[in-house]
Amino acid sequence: MDIIISTLLLLYSLLTGSGEESSTAKQLAIAYLNSAAGQTIIQPDSTLIGSKNPGTSGAGSIKKDPQPSTPPIRGIYVTAHSAGGARMESLLKLLDDTELNSMVIDIKDDNGYITYPTTTPELQEIGASKKYIRDINDLMLTLKKHNIYPIARLVVFKDTVLARKQPELSFLHQDGTIWKNGRGESFVNPYRKEVWDYNIAVAKEAAKLGFKEIQFDYVRFPEGFENKAASLTFSKTDQSRVDAVAGFVKYAREQLEPLGVRVSVDIFGYAASVPAAEGIGQDFVKISNDVHVISPMIYPSHYSTGWFKQKDPDKSPYETIKGAMLDTHKKLDPIKDLKPIIRPWIQDFTASWLGSGHFMKYGKAEVEAQIKALQDNGVKEYLLWNAGNKYSPGVTYK
């Protein structure tokens, strides 16, 4: 009887609903139908988003760096809390006193919040904003005054806020609840064009505010998605996950490049050393084809025993970064004119969670060893990551 009721609900939603309401009803009806049957017996078809995603067919526009005269970028990560708080003063001084010249600032954070009070009705309606950065225009004026190259970090598909607000854009269990990872975070569906357009709308506002580059992070499906996809309900096309993600990157670049801003993407460091990560939908080369800058996260602490012939990669910062860069060049050299600027994320934090004997305290020497490895392998740009924005003193950045 439950299956009959759920089926009627599904049919009713398809016949009478319209727009977002119809989409939501269909997703929930499918979820309850699957739950009643005890298995996934219906997968939403591609008519919800069209048989093809924008940016994935045809030759499209040819990639062209909108800022060819920009000097080599060497920057730091800055949370929205830091950008809008007391720590910003010391970070500005760090850049004033060193060769560092850029800040990567959270504009849409890891939870999905826009980090300043947006005035755009579309963004207010779809997403949610916080007042971490109370006066975004004043921040931009400050960055300009200090001659800092501003990069907007925008977390794309990890978006708990949007998933809760519009469950049909996420991944649903068979009982209709939203899937969460072990940290309680939810992702939204890279197959959904509504998700694409929302994030690009955020990026366009950032460009209007004066950011020179949009850096997209979490441009992927959840980790281990290949092991859970069959048990979840979500709309999809006949494309692979890799093509869905690459399609978003191409679409984003085509939308943003005419505005004069660069497009960059963060990607797992090991993606340069292995074949395409089909499970999460990341292909190093396909993504690189459509970005102006690629930023592999090559933190030595993120490589396990054996990588680049190192027993403990975290304790061998030079050798680990060198190995990662050799693999990166090997992957990207064949694409020739489409090869983006390589600007890796490097480590300025201590990975004590690796356990005694497997990590070392990171400071001036370890950061400089990573920078030297980049230079020795022809890479002039880099970004420093420290989640708390506490960077090692005395480092020579060059």
Side-chain angles (χ1 to χ4, degrees):
M1 181 63 71
D2 287 340
I3 294 180
I4 294 173
I5 292 172
S6 295
T7 304
L8 290 174
L9 174 60
L10 173 58
L11 292 173
Y12 179 78
S13 72
L14 293 174
L15 292 172
T16 65
S18 62
E20 185 178 305
E21 292 181 357
S22 176
S23 175
T24 303
K26 180 174 181 180
Q27 290 288 333
L28 293 176
I30 288 172
Y32 285 122
L33 177 56
N34 288 336
S35 178
Q39 57 182 316
T40 302
I41 61 176
I42 291 184
Q43 195 66 258
D45 60 42
S46 60
T47 58
L48 286 173
I49 51 176
S51 59
K52 292 184 179 180
N53 287 331
T56 58
S57 61
S61 60
I62 298 174
K63 179 174 71 176
K64 184 177 180 181
D65 187 351
Q67 297 173 36
S69 61
T70 301
I73 296 302
R74 304 179 181 101
I76 59 172
Y77 167 60
V78 178
T79 67
H81 290 279
S82 293
R87 189 180 295 276
M88 191 60 170
E89 184 176 347
S90 63
L91 296 176
L92 289 169
K93 188 175 188 308
L94 172 65
L95 269 69
D96 286 343
D97 294 346
T98 67
E99 297 89 346
L100 295 172
N101 60 3
S102 179
M103 289 184 176
V104 181
I105 300 174
D106 281 335
I107 292 302
K108 178 168 173 273
D109 68 15
D110 290 57
N111 294 311
Y113 289 112
I114 297 171
T115 61
Y116 58 92
T118 176
T119 57
T120 302
E122 175 191 359
L123 301 183
Q124 292 174 328
E125 179 182 355
I126 299 174
S129 64
K130 293 284 188 178
K131 295 182 179 179
Y132 302 134
I133 303 172
R134 291 185 175 274
D135 192 335
I136 187 69
N137 291 307
D138 183 65
L139 172 64
M140 299 309 297
L141 288 173
T142 299
L143 296 175
K144 186 175 182 179
K145 178 181 177 182
H146 288 263
N147 198 29
I148 293 171
Y149 181 82
I151 302 174
R153 177 177 179 259
L154 199 160
V155 176
V156 183
F157 297 120
K158 187 172 80 166
D159 193 331
T160 304
V161 171
L162 183 57
R164 289 175 178 172
K165 199 168 186 179
Q166 297 190 43
E168 74 279 4
L169 299 180
S170 186
F171 305 102
L172 302 179
H173 291 295
Q174 293 180 2
D175 63 0
T177 59
I178 302 168
W179 173 85
K180 301 176 184 178
N181 64 17
R183 295 180 294 277
E185 303 161 331
S186 296
F187 279 62
V188 286
N189 185 357
Y191 283 107
R192 295 294 295 244
K193 185 176 180 291
E194 301 97 318
V195 175
W196 292 17
D197 285 335
Y198 167 57
N199 281 280
I200 290 169
V202 178
K204 285 181 176 179
E205 182 166 82
K208 184 178 180 181
L209 288 168
F211 283 94
K212 301 293 187 183
E213 181 173 320
I214 308 299
Q215 183 187 93
F216 292 112
D217 201 358
Y218 285 86
V219 188
R220 59 177 177 82
F221 287 78
E223 291 178 71
F225 190 76
E226 66 276 18
N227 299 320
K228 57 181 72 78
S231 66
L232 298 174
T233 298
F234 60 98
S235 52
K236 62 181 181 178
T237 68
D238 57 358
Q239 290 181 310
S240 68
R241 290 188 286 272
V242 162
D243 285 340
V245 169
F248 165 75
V249 174
K250 183 175 189 291
Y251 183 58
R253 195 263 305 165
E254 291 173 343
Q255 292 287 310
L256 297 171
E257 188 177 273
L259 303 181
V261 293
R262 283 174 166 174
V263 171
S264 59
V265 165
D266 295 337
I267 191 168
F268 282 130
Y270 68 76
S273 304
V274 299
E278 302 283 349
I280 60 173
Q282 281 193 338
D283 183 301
F284 196 86
V285 174
K286 284 190 175 183
I287 289 175
S288 294
N289 280 335
D290 267 298
V291 294
H292 306 107
V293 181
I294 191 73
S295 290
M297 298 173 283
I298 54 172
Y299 317 121
S301 61
H302 284 30
Y303 292 92
S304 56
T305 298
W307 275 97
F308 312 120
K309 300 180 180 179
Q310 303 304 310
K311 180 180 178 182
D312 292 298
D314 185 69
K315 297 168 69 175
S316 303
Y318 179 91
E319 291 79 9
T320 302
I321 298 298
K322 176 183 176 181
M325 285 300 94
L326 289 173
D327 284 353
T328 297
H329 286 306
K330 186 176 180 180
K331 275 269 191 177
L332 297 184
D333 284 349
I335 66 177
K336 297 180 180 178
D337 291 344
L338 288 177
K339 184 176 180 178
I341 295 167
I342 299 169
R343 188 197 300 148
W345 281 102
I346 59 175
Q347 179 172 330
D348 193 358
F349 58 85
T350 297
S352 56
W353 61 83
L354 294 175
S356 178
H358 300 290
F359 75 95
M360 64 192 302
K361 182 174 175 57
Y362 269 57
K364 169 181 165 65
E366 291 71 31
V367 173
E368 289 180 349
Q370 294 175 85
I371 294 172
K372 187 176 189 308
L374 294 176
Q375 292 176 333
D376 289 349
N377 287 276
V379 177
K380 299 178 181 179
E381 305 195 18
Y382 55 83
L383 301 169
L384 297 165
W385 180 272
N386 181 288
N389 304 160
K390 297 177 181 178
Y391 296 98
S392 297
V395 174
T396 299
Y397 303 106
K398 53 186 178 179

